[in-house]
Amino acid sequence: MTPAIEVNGGSVVYETLGQSGDLIVLTPGGRFGKDIPGLRPLAEALVEGGYRVLLWDRPNCGASDVQFYGQTESHMRAETLRGVLSALGVDRCIIAGGSGGARDSMLSTMLYPELVEKLVVWNIVGGVYGMYQLGAYYVLPSIQAVRWSGIEGLLKVPEWRDRIDQNPANKQRFLDLDPEEFLTVMLRWLNAFVPKPGQTIPGVDDEMFSRIKVPTLIIRGGENDWDHPKRTSLEVSCLIKGSQLIDPPWPEEAWERAAEARAAGKVKHFNMFDTWVQAAPAILEFLAT
């Protein structure tokens, strides 16, 4: 049975790979869980490099419980990660993540710097298109479902149906939600994805980056990646003093080609993270310094 830890009233499923070495918390993007194709090969490569790796289903991901609170969903995830690490007796760790996992990792480092030894991020979301895309995909469907059909409408949202399939207890968790309170949280989360001056990444003031003082590796976004713009990576590298910025180890247009293949039905699973294992040598080299 997959182990789980209760944090703030919700069950968080996790898995630890490796027997020894410093711990790396590895977080994927979107609302994808720890078993999303492409994540485990990177984790296994890091284990082979001498580290332990914590994979976890964040709230609203994989088989963990759904939860809705906090300034943004990433703020909620950062608070949850602190609770998971505390329960596991982890005082310090390396935090790494891509796409939405990069935002979660950066925010965790900002809010709980005492927990973090080093930080590694890639595929950082930003820009007008990237931010609006996230709000439209991850927040608007839930708002519309509740407005038009009440809380029961959430049970028909495809993403939430998946969460119920993986964790049947989530059905009652949805039904127990207060519609007005839920909509208040969703509107706050949606507002985070409205581009604003002084917020390079969604829902986080640029001044927060000054809290990141640990060695940081940033893998630049692809040249023509609308979801994770090259410009955003460059801006983040300027905001995190002393950070190291490197070119992506995968093709510049890897994200676009994967998205096109999925849209055309040429792949059976969401394979946009399959290239991430190619970052293992650069990550291991950075961690060794």
Side-chain angles (χ1 to χ4, degrees):
M1 183 176 179
T2 305
I5 293 171
E6 184 165 309
V7 180
N8 291 333
S11 178
V12 180
V13 173
Y14 72 95
E15 178 182 0
T16 303
L17 282 62
Q19 300 299 318
S20 62
D22 293 339
L23 181 69
I24 301 173
V25 177
L26 184 60
T27 306
R31 287 202 183 118
F32 297 102
K34 63 182 180 61
D35 295 320
I36 183 69
L39 186 67
R40 192 168 296 269
L42 173 57
E44 292 172 344
L46 296 175
V47 169
E48 290 178 6
Y51 295 87
R52 291 178 297 134
V53 176
L54 174 69
L55 301 177
W56 61 306
D57 285 348
R58 297 159 290 167
N60 306 335
C61 303
S64 289
D65 286 349
V66 293
Q67 292 186 282
F68 304 96
Y69 66 88
Q71 181 177 334
T72 70
E73 193 164 17
S74 287
H75 283 77
M76 178 182 71
R77 291 166 175 170
E79 184 175 337
T80 300
L81 179 58
R82 180 185 63 166
V84 169
L85 293 174
S86 177
L88 293 175
V90 177
D91 296 324
R92 300 276 285 178
C93 64
I94 299 157
I95 294 187
S99 195
R103 183 170 61 259
D104 295 349
S105 297
M106 288 186 287
L107 192 53
S108 294
T109 307
M110 295 170 184
L111 296 176
Y112 310 109
E114 71 280 1
L115 293 175
V116 186
E117 289 278 1
K118 293 184 178 181
L119 174 66
V120 183
V121 290
W122 59 93
N123 284 11
I124 304 171
V125 174
V128 172
Y129 174 84
M131 292 191 191
Y132 276 128
Q133 169 81 348
L134 290 182
Y137 190 85
Y138 288 112
V139 186
L140 278 181
S142 294
I143 292 176
Q144 293 166 339
V146 173
R147 287 191 65 206
W148 298 336
S149 305
I151 283 296
E152 292 79 7
L154 292 175
L155 306 182
K156 300 178 182 179
V157 175
E159 182 176 22
W160 299 137
R161 287 206 306 266
D162 291 342
R163 297 291 73 75
I164 293 170
D165 288 343
Q166 289 190 265
N167 178 359
N170 276 328
K171 180 177 181 179
Q172 191 59 49
R173 292 183 68 87
F174 278 117
L175 293 175
D176 288 342
L177 292 170
D178 178 88
E180 292 302 320
E181 292 179 1
F182 177 79
L183 287 174
T184 296
V185 173
M186 287 298 97
L187 287 172
R188 186 166 64 241
W189 287 10
L190 180 63
N191 183 52
F193 294 121
V194 177
K196 302 174 184 67
Q199 288 192 357
T200 301
I201 63 174
V204 180
D205 291 339
D206 285 347
E207 64 185 33
M208 292 283 289
F209 280 95
S210 65
R211 300 187 183 189
I212 300 180
K213 301 183 184 298
V214 296
T216 299
L217 176 66
I218 300 168
I219 301 175
R220 174 179 61 74
E223 189 71 37
N224 297 307
D225 187 338
W226 284 27
D227 295 288
H228 319 97
K230 176 180 178 180
R231 172 179 172 177
T232 299
S233 299
L234 297 175
E235 290 176 347
V236 169
S237 72
C238 293
L239 290 166
I240 302 177
K241 293 183 179 180
S243 60
Q244 179 183 347
L245 178 73
I246 64 172
D247 292 338
W250 41 75
E252 291 281 355
E253 297 186 350
W255 188 266
E256 289 73 25
R257 300 293 82 79
E260 290 170 359
R262 181 174 183 244
K266 296 179 181 179
V267 293
K268 294 182 179 180
H269 62 78
F270 184 92
N271 71 336
M272 291 184 171
F273 305 147
D274 284 352
T275 57
W276 284 8
V277 67
Q278 298 174 32
I283 294 174
L284 290 170
E285 180 181 357
F286 168 74
L287 296 179
T289 58

